[in-house]
């Protein structure tokens, strides 16, 4: 059953949740031979798991993402893990003066410190096909009347196995309507529509994770090739009604 968050946790409770998640993950690593020797650090910040380090192959990264995402209380799994010594290419969309990580490539419609390239996110992204490992769209989609073209562009530029990390205000929280530049209301179920309800022939996505903390919604999506099987209902039921 999918539980809809109503009240965001207090700062004290979020810190306690992070401590509990860190202990649960440490216990899992100690008891899982697949994880014990991996050079991946997992840090929890207000229910979001931040992964860093390096693994030998993509399968190891998929395993860590999946197992971290199964922990109760995790809202999103944000990843900056290299594969085989190659650092990931990470792009912040609409970053303004603050990137999620300082080494990210920052795109924004307005020039500002930290913006590496000026780009209109309602149009095409100035990025090559299959060139990016991780995309951040943090507090961006709610500012676009039609955000699906941007989502399709993210699908185009992500490499196979890449991830789009989304964070937006939840429609039931005052933050969703307090900013007059917000033009869309968002819910976790919005990503069910992106992954399942688009017309045939449009880019397809697999939801790695989705959650809501009562103030914000989170979604981690990876692009699917046209001939890939859709996500099974048992997986979708973890996140969507």
């Amino acid at each position: 059953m999918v539980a809809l968050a109503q009240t965001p946790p207090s700062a004290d409770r979020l810190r306690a949740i992070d401590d509990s998640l860190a202990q649960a993950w440490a216990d899992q690593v100690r008891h899982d031979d697949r994880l014990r020797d991996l050079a991946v650090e997992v840090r929890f910040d207000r229910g979001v798991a931040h992964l860093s380090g390096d693994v030998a192959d993509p399968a190891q990264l998929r395993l860590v993402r999946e197992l971290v995402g199964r922990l109760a209380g995790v809202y999103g799994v944000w990843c900056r893990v290299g594969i085989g010594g190659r650092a990931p290419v990470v792009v912040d969309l609409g970053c303004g003066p603050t990137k999620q990580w300082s080494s990210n490539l920052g795109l924004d419609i307005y020039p500002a410190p930290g913006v590496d390239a000026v780009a209109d996110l309602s149009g095409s992204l100035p990025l090559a096909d299959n060139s990016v490992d991780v995309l951040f769209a943090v507090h961006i989609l709610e500012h676009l009347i039609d955000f699906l073209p941007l989502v399709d562009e993210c699908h185009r530029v992500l490499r196979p196995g890449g991830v789009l990390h989304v964070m937006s205000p939840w429609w039931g929280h005052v933050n969703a309507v307090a900013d007059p530049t917000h033009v869309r209301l968002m819910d976790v179920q919005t990503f069910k529509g992106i992954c399942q309800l688009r017309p045939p022939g449009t880019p397809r996505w697999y939801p790695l994770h989705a959650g809501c903390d009562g103030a914000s919604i989170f979604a981690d999506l990876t692009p699917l090739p046209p001939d890939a099987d859709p996500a099974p209902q048992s997986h979708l039921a973890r996140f969507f009604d």
Side-chain angles (χ1 to χ4, degrees):
M1 178 180 294
V2 176
L4 296 179
Q6 298 296 324
T7 303
S10 67
D12 287 342
R13 187 181 177 201
L14 284 171
R15 282 191 290 269
I17 291 172
D18 288 341
D19 291 342
S20 175
L21 288 170
Q23 181 177 351
W25 180 248
D27 289 343
Q28 182 148 353
V29 170
R30 278 197 300 270
H31 293 92
D32 192 328
D33 292 339
R34 299 170 298 174
L35 301 173
R36 193 173 298 120
D37 296 328
L38 295 184
V40 176
E41 178 184 353
V42 181
R43 178 179 61 87
F44 298 95
D45 182 10
R46 293 169 292 178
V48 176
H50 294 261
L51 278 57
S52 59
D54 192 88
V55 295
D57 60 70
Q60 293 175 327
L61 178 54
R62 289 195 298 269
L63 174 67
V64 176
R65 281 177 178 155
E66 172 66 19
L67 295 181
V68 171
R70 289 182 187 176
L71 297 176
V74 170
Y75 301 120
V77 182
W78 291 6
C79 185
R80 185 178 55 177
V81 175
I83 298 177
R86 182 184 68 82
V89 176
V90 186
V91 177
D92 246 310
L93 301 175
C95 63
T98 306
K99 300 175 185 178
Q100 301 308 309
W101 295 314
S102 61
S103 60
N104 294 358
L105 173 67
L107 302 183
D108 201 288
I109 193 170
Y110 299 113
V115 174
D116 299 291
V118 174
D120 182 357
L121 299 183
S122 64
S124 60
L125 296 176
L127 300 166
D129 295 359
N130 305 317
S131 62
V132 177
D133 297 291
V134 177
L135 285 166
F136 280 101
V138 176
H139 293 299
I140 295 303
L141 299 189
E142 66 272 15
H143 293 274
L144 301 175
I145 293 174
D146 183 4
F147 59 73
L148 290 177
L150 175 58
V151 171
D152 291 347
E153 276 290 281
C154 292
H155 193 287
R156 177 184 66 80
V157 305
L158 280 173
R159 292 182 172 128
V163 180
L164 168 63
H165 297 303
V166 178
M167 178 181 178
S168 286
W170 179 51
W171 69 268
H173 192 270
V174 66
N175 288 348
V177 294
D179 187 337
T181 66
H182 291 174
V183 294
R184 296 295 299 267
L185 295 177
M186 306 287 291
D187 189 80
V188 172
Q189 305 305 314
T190 304
F191 297 96
K192 177 182 180 181
I194 290 174
C195 293
Q196 288 195 291
L197 303 180
R198 299 290 306 280
T202 52
R204 302 169 59 224
W205 294 89
Y206 184 98
L208 297 172
H209 201 79
C212 176
D213 66 1
S216 301
I217 58 169
F218 303 84
D220 303 327
L221 309 179
T222 191
L224 282 175
D227 57 348
D229 293 332
Q233 289 300 316
S234 59
H235 178 75
L236 296 173
R238 292 171 54 193
F239 315 123
F240 306 127
D241 289 340

